[in-house]
Amino acid sequence: MPPIAVAELDLDLDGPDGPGGSVLSFGPALGGPPPGAGDIFALVRLRGRPAATVLGHVRADEDPAEVLTAVFRARKSPYEPPVPEAPAPAEPVTALAAPPRTTVVVATRERAGQLARALDSLLAQDHPDFRVLVVDNAPVTTATRDLVESRYAGRVDYVQEPCPGLAVAHNCGVAAADGTVIAFTDDDVIADPHWLTALTTPFAADPGLGCVTGLILPARLTTSAQILLESHGGFAKGFEPRLYDPASPPADEPLFPFTAGSFGSGANMAFRAEALRAVGGFDPATGTGTPAKGGDDLYAFVRILAAGHRLRYAPEALVWHHHRETWQDLRNQAHGYGAGLTAYLTAILVRRPALLPALLAKLPRGLAHARAITAHRPDPAGESAPGTHGARAHPWPRDLSRLERRGMLYGPLGYLKARVRIRRQARGEALGEAGIRRRAVRRRS
């Protein structure tokens, strides 16, 4: 698969036939258009608001903006409702209410180069009142600390969490955070300048809101693994805002709230601090870096909804994600996603047994859903499948589907292994502290 350039196409709506003038800029990881002919994957914005993604092939003698605009206006995807040609301008989210005080938590481990790129984008946010907190998870070098203390002194806070695991690191961030809202993103993203404002303002307008998630698009599409993942939807959840309310379950999601993967992803999420702490934060036996391999974000989504809070998906809150680059990365990711899915379900049942009857009632459909999300989606004719959102479809390799299903079988075991490891660590720490106290008593006597 040849590389695909990533771009943004901003259209106005002043023309009599729909989108008129356009501004094309290339993505956060690229300095300009690809040389000669090639494919371009573009986020289309209508007056600044994310509206769709399109994929266009541009010849050397063509204007990329004109080609992509034509693709956008001609698209007839059954999975992506067409944008009205002349909608009323949407009221900016910042005009509805002032965004609340927020702590942005970035958990990282030995990826100082990527982290710097993410921090630069976070410090450029237009949010009026926020703090950035880096959680250095089980470090083996001082690279992350050195980066924060030398390059971001006074602008980024640093804490260290010695116990490995993404959920543990996030809980460390929760403990150190201040403010009404705690936002989470990863060290491999570049945040749009309006990301944090769009992600957190809904909390000010809705006191019953417990969580907000946002849109995740690819920062680069240079390898076959990256292109394949994005052609099957990547991490994007569409361009329509959506509210999930446990008091009024969505009719089109009979498995609600157990299909937590449809709500959002951990690279782009925020929680009302009070609500997240009330449900105990993240389960430390889930997440990357543990035997469970994932599921920490899904666990938190379901716990928030089960506690009666609403969850909102806000596509205006955009981050650009650097997808895994190699086939082995993608294989590991496929297995990890499968494991994380069943690990989080196991965690929910272990910690909230009262949810078991509801899950059992929905289990038959749940198994069908699990099979569907791991099946290769495009048909032999190459038609786009749900979730491709403008990317050209490529057949999903059967071995990746098998790996994901194996991960599902492994997930409960991985979760239990992680819980055992945490208990052993806690016992070891307790014994160590007891030994220190005994030695101190002997010295005093």
Side-chain angles (χ1 to χ4, degrees):
M1 301 178 194
I4 298 175
V6 176
E8 296 184 68
L9 179 67
D10 204 339
L11 302 176
D12 67 41
L13 299 172
D14 296 330
D17 298 321
S22 63
V23 175
L24 181 69
S25 57
F26 282 80
L30 298 173
D39 287 340
I40 300 177
F41 174 93
L43 166 66
V44 179
R45 296 179 183 263
L46 297 182
R47 287 182 174 166
R49 298 183 66 212
T53 54
V54 295
L55 181 67
H57 182 79
V58 180
R59 297 195 301 266
D61 59 343
E62 291 180 315
D63 179 359
E66 291 182 1
V67 171
L68 294 169
T69 299
V71 172
F72 171 73
R73 296 180 64 180
R75 70 195 179 100
K76 298 184 183 299
S77 168
Y79 307 110
E80 195 172 59
V83 177
E85 290 195 351
E91 185 178 10
V93 70
T94 50
L96 300 176
R101 167 72 175 171
T102 301
T103 296
V104 182
V105 175
V106 185
T108 186
R109 188 172 192 268
E110 302 301 334
R111 300 205 294 190
Q114 292 188 80
L115 176 63
R117 184 176 57 199
L119 293 179
D120 288 341
S121 71
L122 293 175
L123 293 173
Q125 294 297 300
D126 62 11
H127 191 288
D129 187 14
F130 71 99
R131 166 195 179 204
V132 178
L133 175 65
V134 169
V135 181
D136 195 2
N137 187 212
V140 295
T141 72
T142 63
T144 299
R145 179 191 287 272
D146 294 344
L147 172 72
V148 173
E149 292 182 348
S150 62
R151 182 168 169 178
Y152 301 100
R155 296 185 296 161
V156 174
D157 295 328
Y158 172 94
V159 294
Q160 186 179 121
E161 171 51 61
C163 181
L166 185 57
V168 177
H170 280 168
N171 283 339
C172 176
V174 171
D178 62 345
T180 303
V181 174
I182 307 174
F184 298 87
T185 191
D186 292 346
D187 60 8
D188 55 1
V189 308
I190 296 175
D192 180 81
H194 190 58
W195 166 70
L196 192 59
T197 296
L199 189 69
T200 60
T201 299
F203 289 101
D206 182 358
L209 198 61
C211 178
V212 178
T213 63
L215 177 64
I216 303 174
L217 291 178
R220 302 187 73 185
L221 293 172
T222 56
T223 71
S224 296
Q226 292 172 331
I227 294 169
L228 178 63
L229 177 63
E230 194 59 33
S231 77
H232 288 264
F235 299 95
K237 308 301 178 187
F239 294 90
E240 292 296 320
R242 184 152 191 186
L243 181 66
Y244 296 94
D245 189 344
S248 181
D252 62 338
E253 292 201 15
L255 301 171
F256 179 87
F258 299 108
T259 50
S262 65
F263 305 150
S265 298
N268 191 352
M269 61 184 182
F271 296 86
R272 192 178 299 277
E274 182 182 18
L276 183 59
R277 290 181 176 127
V279 299
F282 300 86
D283 187 322
T286 60
T288 304
T290 71
K293 300 184 181 295
D296 53 306
D297 50 352
L298 308 183
Y299 171 86
F301 297 156
V302 174
R303 284 302 306 268
I304 286 291
L305 288 164
H309 302 285
R310 290 184 284 274
L311 184 152
R312 179 177 293 277
Y313 172 67
E316 295 89 352
L318 167 66
V319 299
W320 301 89
H321 180 262
H322 287 80
H323 295 349
R324 309 288 178 85
E325 296 185 358
T326 70
W327 282 109
Q328 187 56 51
D329 288 338
L330 193 56
R331 287 173 57 84
N332 295 341
Q333 195 169 26
H335 187 267
Y337 282 168
L341 175 63
T342 52
Y344 109 79
L345 289 172
T346 306
I348 287 291
L349 296 181
V350 168
R351 292 182 172 269
R352 284 293 304 274
L355 293 175
L356 179 59
L359 179 59
L360 290 177
K362 299 175 180 182
L363 189 58
R365 290 185 179 181
L367 293 175
H369 173 78
R371 182 175 180 81
I373 64 174
T374 61
H376 63 281
R377 303 175 200 172
D379 66 22
E383 296 297 325
S384 295
T388 55
H389 60 80
R392 182 168 294 131
H394 297 279
W396 188 253
R398 292 181 179 178
D399 68 315
L400 292 183
S401 294
R402 286 193 294 268
L403 279 170
E404 201 162 352
R405 292 181 185 130
R406 289 175 190 167
M408 290 179 182
L409 294 174
Y410 165 81
L413 177 61
Y415 176 73
L416 296 176
K417 286 182 176 179
R419 284 180 65 89
V420 169
R421 188 176 75 175
I422 290 171
R423 289 175 181 172
R424 287 175 178 169
Q425 289 173 340
R427 284 198 298 268
E429 291 171 1
L431 291 173
E433 292 174 359
I436 292 172
R437 287 194 297 269
R438 286 195 297 271
R439 287 192 294 272
V441 169
R442 285 197 296 269
R443 284 197 297 269
R444 287 196 298 268
S445 60

